[in-house]
Amino acid sequence: MSADAYLVPPDTKVKLKDFPPGETEPFGSKEEAQAQLETDIAKLSDLQAKLYAQDTYALLMIFQGIDAAGKDGTIKHVMSGVNPAGCQVTSFKAPSTEELDHDYLWRHIKALPERGRIGIFNRSHYEEVLVVRVHPELLTKEKIHPTKKRGKIWANRFREINQFERYLVDNDVEILKFFLNLSKEEQKRRFLSRLDSPDKNWKFSEADVKERAFWDDYQKAYEDMLSHTSTEHAPWHVIPADNKWFTRAMVANVIVRKLESLDLSYPELDDSRLRALQNAKKMLKEEG
């Protein structure tokens, strides 16, 4: 099984039961996955340098998943070899008063990476068809006009998000989307670990446990999101998340394959620029 096995083809009716959270193929062991991760971190460092120097493409990576799915840890480990000057991470929390006075994509558009850079959305515009769908009372805060038929809102947002991402790709913002698929049992174990470890207590919120009551609602929302927004230009990868070592290795491999597909290279200098460099080299050698 390769990374392609975790890719959601366009127009697919997704059932998360078809993506076991504890899957570990194609890696035969944790040690094998760790070795692959180290190799890909080194490759990613080189590819990111070329992306930055070429200054043609931007890469937007989107991470979604239930609480404790490992989004923060995956980003931290996979991007450990990347030059911070060429990478930016945005973690989207509950929208502010200012953000609620704009359309729901406004704050995400503001955070898009510029050419040559990697942008990471830790949660994203997809919260608008996930947490807002599970808790539709949040639409009131978004000031959706009460005469609008709310049944059409989700279909409209799927369409708008697909069009938005199509626009980005058409303008050389490549997109990678990762849904970290965690089991309910593993989430419970991680929550208990946070409660039992004083150095992890800060990660825990009472709201996390309260949201577990909506587990089935979230699973349905995730399936609907994946079914309607995995497109040819911006497909979803459903990454098993019960084993952190597997999640990190698989995400790193997908990123490397994506950047390799862009045929990145350092810019070639024209003759006049090369002559200028030779002249500068000569002047430095003649000093003193």
Side-chain angles (χ1 to χ4, degrees):
M1 185 181 292
S2 68
D4 291 338
Y6 303 109
L7 190 67
V8 178
D11 303 317
T12 298
K13 182 68 174 177
V14 174
K15 292 295 181 184
L16 286 175
K17 64 179 178 62
D18 297 331
F19 296 88
E23 182 63 75
T24 59
E25 293 186 18
F27 302 115
S29 65
K30 182 177 180 179
E31 291 71 26
E32 181 184 338
Q34 184 61 36
Q36 184 64 57
L37 175 61
E38 292 174 3
T39 297
D40 285 334
I41 286 174
K43 289 182 179 180
L44 181 54
S45 177
D46 177 64
L47 288 163
Q48 183 260 333
K50 292 177 180 176
L51 177 78
Y52 188 84
Q54 185 172 302
D55 199 28
T56 300
Y57 296 101
L59 177 63
L60 174 63
M61 293 190 287
I62 294 169
F63 287 85
Q64 290 290 155
I66 202 82
D67 295 321
K71 298 180 291 295
D72 291 339
T74 298
I75 294 167
K76 176 182 176 181
H77 283 79
V78 171
M79 307 305 289
S80 60
V82 170
N83 184 342
C87 183
Q88 61 200 56
V89 180
T90 306
S91 297
F92 291 99
K93 308 297 184 183
S96 67
T97 301
E98 179 189 18
E99 290 166 343
L100 287 170
D101 271 337
H102 290 81
D103 66 272
Y104 69 92
L105 287 175
W106 180 75
R107 64 176 180 157
H108 305 95
I109 293 170
K110 287 175 60 182
L112 288 171
E114 58 200 78
R115 295 185 190 279
R117 293 173 64 87
I118 295 174
I120 300 172
F121 284 3
N122 186 346
R123 299 189 188 273
S124 67
H125 44 285
Y126 283 100
E127 292 295 289
E128 294 294 333
V129 293
L130 293 171
V131 66
V132 179
R133 188 168 189 178
V134 173
H135 299 287
E137 64 274 13
L138 294 174
L139 288 171
T140 302
K141 291 185 177 181
E142 295 186 4
K143 304 175 184 178
I144 302 297
H145 197 281
T147 61
K148 283 198 171 182
K149 293 182 179 179
R150 293 197 171 185
K152 292 185 177 180
I153 284 178
W154 314 120
N156 288 343
R157 288 191 171 180
F158 291 143
R159 172 178 51 80
E160 291 158 358
I161 288 171
N162 288 339
Q163 291 172 340
F164 169 58
E165 292 178 351
R166 172 79 266 180
Y167 165 80
L168 293 180
V169 172
D170 284 347
N171 285 274
D172 296 324
V173 180
E174 297 293 321
I175 300 173
L176 282 176
K177 301 189 297 195
F178 299 102
F179 172 65
L180 305 190
N181 188 27
L182 187 72
S183 69
K184 193 173 185 179
E185 295 75 19
E186 179 61 16
Q187 187 196 53
K188 179 180 178 179
R189 192 195 68 77
R190 292 182 186 181
F191 279 169
L192 288 172
S193 175
R194 291 178 182 182
L195 290 168
D196 291 337
S197 305
D199 60 338
K200 293 181 180 179
N201 285 170
W202 64 273
K203 288 185 175 183
F204 188 78
S205 168
E206 217 176 327
D208 295 340
V209 172
K210 291 180 179 178
E211 285 299 284
R212 273 177 68 83
F214 300 96
W215 181 273
D216 291 342
D217 294 328
Y218 274 108
Q219 296 302 295
K220 291 176 183 176
Y222 288 135
E223 290 178 342
D224 215 17
M225 173 196 76
L226 295 165
S227 299
H228 287 90
T229 63
S230 195
T231 59
E232 185 177 348
H233 54 275
W236 279 101
H237 287 82
V238 179
I239 306 296
D242 277 9
N243 296 286
K244 295 178 181 179
W245 53 268
F246 173 84
T247 306
R248 295 163 184 173
M250 184 56 65
V251 167
N253 191 251
V254 172
I255 297 170
V256 165
R257 293 201 309 163
K258 178 65 172 180
L259 289 174
E260 287 177 337
S261 74
L262 300 179
D263 194 26
L264 301 171
S265 62
Y266 292 107
E268 293 187 8
L269 303 182
D270 59 28
D271 290 343
S272 63
R273 181 65 177 143
L274 288 172
R275 286 194 296 270
L277 292 180
Q278 289 298 321
N279 186 50
K281 182 177 180 180
K282 178 181 178 183
M283 291 171 64
L284 286 169
K285 287 186 173 182
E286 290 176 350
E287 280 186 4

